[in-house]
């Protein structure tokens, strides 16, 4: 039975996730270097937690390799997300990222050989309409590039979420995340030669200031390690439906924080807020429509009464 403090902690976790984009913009080093340091700190912290709790590290070389490859997808997801906030704004990056649940709705049936539901098509059209409104009003190159990168990050995020949902059935979630963070860190390091050749002036920038280290530790330890472990623990007492519905507040918290911290309200057009409202509306009503569809399917699968089956009055 969930307690009041469980719901308060859940909202605090969602608040931390909404704060991620803020921290990504406050940290002065580029997105690739930022992801490298973040994943390194997170992997080491989770490894320490596993060692202390006695969670086994050995899960087979092939499985570890597979999980670390998923980490490459996570690394690309975070690089695109943080870069989107840098080239445009936190608000734009969060609106683009909020499409991840709808990406998942379309991709999950493909991965698991299921069927796309009619209400998911309707919500996808609603998201497209919201994006169209934003693109009509936010016509600068930086805004278009930022939201495009954020949508790409949402696509990658939905892919690794679906893969993780299958992995967690047989492997402890902490183990999965530790190896994914390690894979993400190694993956960004392997990307360095291409990155320095085509995307920088030939050198990496790890010139972290004192405040950068503070923000990085909050990002890695509070927004990743704590928020992740707390969400898993809370899902043991709070229903998955309630958790997923609450997670939809992440872009709302982030946009409100960005408005106060960066004064982004002056930078966004009225059309942006209309389009963002349409997208967020689709995100909020998705779990409600999904729940109603599942109820309808359960009713259809219920056996008919004997008198109906036999044709009796």
């Amino acid at each position: 039975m969930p307690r009041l403090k469980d719901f308060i902690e859940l909202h605090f976790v969602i608040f931390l996730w909404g704060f991620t984009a803020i921290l990504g913009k406050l940290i002065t080093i580029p997105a690739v270097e930022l992801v490298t340091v973040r994943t390194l700190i997170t992997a080491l912290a989770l490894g320490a937690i596993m060692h202390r709790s006695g969670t086994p590290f050995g899960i087979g070389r092939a499985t570890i390799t597979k999980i670390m490859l998923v980490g490459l997808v996570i690394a690309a997801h975070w690089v695109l997300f943080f870069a989107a906030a840098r080239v445009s704004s936190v608000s734009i990056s969060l609106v683009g990222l909020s499409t991840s649940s709808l990406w998942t709705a379309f991709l999950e049936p493909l991965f698991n050989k299921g069927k796309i539901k009619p209400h998911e098509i309707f919500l996808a059209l609603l998201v497209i309409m919201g994006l169209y409104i934003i693109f009509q009003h936010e016509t600068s190159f930086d805004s278009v590039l930022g939201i495009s990168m954020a949508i790409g990050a949402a696509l990658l995020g939905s892919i690794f979420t679906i893969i993780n949902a299958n992995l967690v059935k047989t492997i402890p979630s902490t183990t999965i995340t530790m190896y994914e963070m390690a894979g993400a860190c190694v993956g960004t390091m392997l990307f360095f030669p291409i990155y320095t050749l085509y995307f920088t002036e030939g050198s990496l920038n790890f010139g972290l200031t004192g405040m950068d280290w503070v923000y990085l530790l909050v990002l890695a330890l509070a927004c990743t390690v704590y928020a992740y472990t707390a969400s898993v623990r809370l899902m043991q007492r709070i229903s998955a439906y309630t958790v997923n519905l609450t997670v939809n507040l992440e872009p709302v918290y982030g946009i409100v924080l960005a408005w106060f911290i960066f004064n982004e309200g002056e930078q966004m057009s009225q059309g942006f807020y209309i389009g963002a409202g349409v997208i967020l509306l689709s995100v909020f009503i998705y779990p409600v429509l999904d729940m109603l569809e599942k109820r309808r399917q359960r009713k259809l699968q219920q056996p008919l009464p004997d008198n109906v089956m036999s044709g009796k009055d």
Side-chain angles (χ1 to χ4, degrees):
M1 182 71 179
R3 297 162 295 182
L4 176 60
K5 71 175 187 177
D6 293 329
F7 290 107
I8 293 173
E9 186 176 16
L10 176 61
H11 278 274
F12 181 61
V13 167
I14 307 305
F15 174 83
L16 288 176
W17 285 339
F19 198 54
T20 298
I22 305 290
L23 293 169
K25 191 160 185 175
L26 289 173
I27 297 169
T28 58
I29 62 174
V32 171
E33 290 90 327
L34 167 58
V35 171
T36 305
V37 180
R38 177 191 185 180
T39 52
L40 176 62
I41 295 172
T42 305
L44 292 174
L46 287 171
I49 292 172
M50 288 174 61
H51 176 72
R52 185 175 179 180
S53 63
T55 304
F57 286 84
I59 54 175
R61 186 175 299 176
T63 304
I64 291 174
T65 302
K66 179 180 178 180
I67 295 174
M68 291 185 72
L69 288 174
V70 177
L72 301 183
V73 180
I74 295 174
H77 159 77
W78 277 343
V79 168
L80 282 175
F81 176 57
F82 288 133
R86 300 285 181 88
V87 302
S88 55
S89 69
V90 171
S91 300
I92 283 179
S93 66
L94 285 167
V95 167
L97 191 67
S98 67
T99 63
S100 58
S101 61
L102 295 174
W103 279 118
T104 303
F106 278 92
L107 291 175
E108 192 169 22
L110 297 178
F111 276 81
N112 299 326
K113 297 180 180 180
K115 293 182 179 179
I116 296 176
K117 302 165 188 174
H119 67 274
E120 291 171 350
I121 298 175
F122 164 72
L123 293 174
L125 293 174
L126 205 59
V127 169
I128 292 171
M129 183 176 73
L131 291 173
Y132 176 77
I133 294 172
I134 291 174
F135 281 123
Q136 285 289 102
H137 292 84
E138 298 292 331
T139 56
S140 70
F141 176 77
D142 288 345
S143 296
V144 173
L145 178 62
I147 199 166
S148 300
M149 294 171 75
I151 293 171
L155 171 61
L156 294 174
S158 68
I159 290 173
F160 76 72
T161 299
I162 295 168
I163 296 173
N164 279 350
N166 293 322
L167 290 173
V168 79
K169 295 175 182 177
T170 56
I171 305 168
S173 52
T174 306
T175 306
I176 293 171
T177 307
M178 191 278 292
Y179 282 118
E180 284 179 344
M181 293 299 101
C185 184
V186 172
T188 51
M189 289 180 178
L190 293 175
F191 180 62
F192 284 168
I194 299 174
Y195 174 62
T196 54
L197 183 63
Y198 295 105
F199 298 97
T200 71
E201 297 178 355
S203 61
L204 298 169
N205 178 11
F206 283 102
L208 293 160
T209 65
M211 287 306 300
D212 282 340
W213 278 111
V214 173
Y215 296 144
L216 262 170
L217 290 174
V218 173
L219 180 63
L221 300 179
C223 298
T224 309
V225 176
Y226 161 73
Y228 165 76
T229 54
S231 66
V232 173
R233 172 170 48 80
L234 289 168
M235 286 189 72
Q236 297 172 356
R237 293 193 290 269
I238 302 175
S239 69
Y241 171 77
T242 302
V243 172
N244 290 332
L245 187 63
T246 310
V247 167
N248 292 331
L249 288 171
E250 178 186 346
V252 178
Y253 285 150
I255 290 171
V256 172
L257 285 169
W259 191 86
F260 281 105
I261 295 173
F262 300 115
N263 200 19
E264 291 195 350
E266 295 182 0
Q267 302 173 24
M268 300 292 102
S269 65
Q270 183 179 5
F272 166 81
Y273 288 107
I274 295 173
V278 172
I279 294 172
L280 293 176
L281 174 65
S282 69
V283 172
F284 274 104
I285 65 175
Y286 169 73
V288 178
L289 294 179
D290 196 55
M291 179 186 66
L292 294 174
E293 175 64 18
K294 287 177 180 177
R295 286 182 179 177
R296 188 182 73 86
Q297 291 296 331
R298 282 197 297 268
K299 288 182 179 180
L300 291 175
Q301 293 171 4
Q302 289 177 355
L304 293 172
D306 292 339
N307 63 336
V308 175
M309 295 179 67
S310 61
K312 296 179 181 179
D313 293 332

